[in-house]
Amino acid sequence: ILKSLKAGISFVYNSKAILVALTLDMVAVLFGGAIALLPIYAQDILQVGSQGFGVLRAAPAVGSVIIMFISAHIPLTRNAGKKLLFAIFGFGLSIIVFGISSIFWVSVLALFIYGVTDGISMIIRQTILQLKTPDEFRGRVASVNSIFIGSSNELGAFESGFTAKIMGTVSAVVFGGVMTILTVGFTAFKFPSFTKLDLNKDIKE
């Protein structure tokens, strides 16, 4: 099992497209875990109570579902690298807007966009994994992806709570959004080849 897992990690590390896609998503979820702080926003900042909390909690899911239907008719494979970077940039921006908003419907709209951009990111990431992974590595790479996603979600919730305790709720959410945007900028600068990633070529092959 350890040998198999090591082979999967080694393949991911040596495949820049997969590594960058997984790392981007992990960092975005790690620093963009604003969802964990929704109860505080609903009760103390927006003061909308349990019904408002339900709307806030549902907004990202609605955005994700809509983008799933749209992506079935408008493929995201062309210029996938740029689209992924733009999606995560929008993800970070929506977190910042949500963090500083004190107007309920602005917050709902920000969370809706949060769900849309997260949905785009997930679709492109999964497509990269499927197209860039040989059949013999597919299971192992899927396992590594599960580790990345599972750990980043839990650590993201912890990071949000920890930073909220240190710097305050609003500052913590804005900090997460800023870190997400900075990660996108760093990735575009450090891995310029990723911005040219086009999955249409892989589909045709």
Side-chain angles (χ1 to χ4, degrees):
I1 294 175
L2 291 176
K3 183 179 179 180
S4 181
L5 183 59
K6 182 180 178 181
I9 294 174
S10 178
F11 175 81
V12 170
Y13 181 78
N14 292 310
S15 177
K16 296 304 180 186
I18 295 176
L19 179 63
V20 171
L22 289 181
T23 303
L24 272 172
D25 184 76
M26 184 181 72
V27 171
V29 175
L30 178 64
F31 288 108
I35 298 299
L37 300 176
L38 280 185
I40 300 176
Y41 269 86
Q43 180 175 332
D44 299 330
I45 297 175
L46 300 174
Q47 299 180 351
V48 291
S50 58
Q51 290 185 338
F53 170 73
V55 175
L56 292 170
R57 191 66 184 85
V62 173
S64 294
V65 169
I66 289 175
I67 204 63
M68 297 300 172
F69 283 109
I70 292 175
S71 66
H73 300 282
I74 305 176
L76 299 172
T77 50
R78 184 178 296 278
N79 298 319
K82 288 182 180 178
K83 287 178 180 176
L84 180 58
L85 290 172
F86 277 119
I88 297 179
F89 179 86
F91 181 84
L93 195 60
S94 69
I95 292 169
I96 294 174
V97 172
F98 170 75
I100 62 178
S101 171
S102 58
I103 302 173
F104 176 65
W105 288 110
V106 172
S107 299
V108 171
L109 178 61
L111 288 175
F112 173 79
I113 296 173
Y114 174 106
V116 168
T117 52
D118 186 45
I120 293 172
S121 170
M122 184 185 71
I123 292 169
I124 296 176
R125 185 186 74 252
Q126 291 293 344
T127 305
I128 291 173
L129 289 177
Q130 293 298 317
L131 293 178
K132 295 293 185 180
T133 305
D135 290 340
E136 62 270 22
F137 282 100
R138 204 173 298 281
R140 281 169 281 188
V141 171
S143 298
V144 174
N145 180 50
S146 296
I147 293 172
F148 267 71
I149 301 305
S151 61
S152 58
N153 280 323
E154 301 304 324
L155 289 173
F158 171 78
E159 182 272 339
S160 295
F162 181 73
T163 52
K165 178 68 175 178
I166 294 175
M167 60 179 69
T169 303
V170 173
S171 297
V173 174
V174 173
F175 169 76
V178 170
M179 289 301 296
T180 301
I181 290 175
L182 289 177
T183 301
V184 172
F186 174 79
T187 302
F189 174 77
K190 186 69 175 178
F191 303 99
S193 60
F194 186 79
T195 62
K196 301 175 184 177
L197 179 65
D198 192 327
L199 297 177
N200 276 354
K201 299 176 182 177
D202 296 276
I203 293 174
K204 292 176 182 178
E205 291 175 2

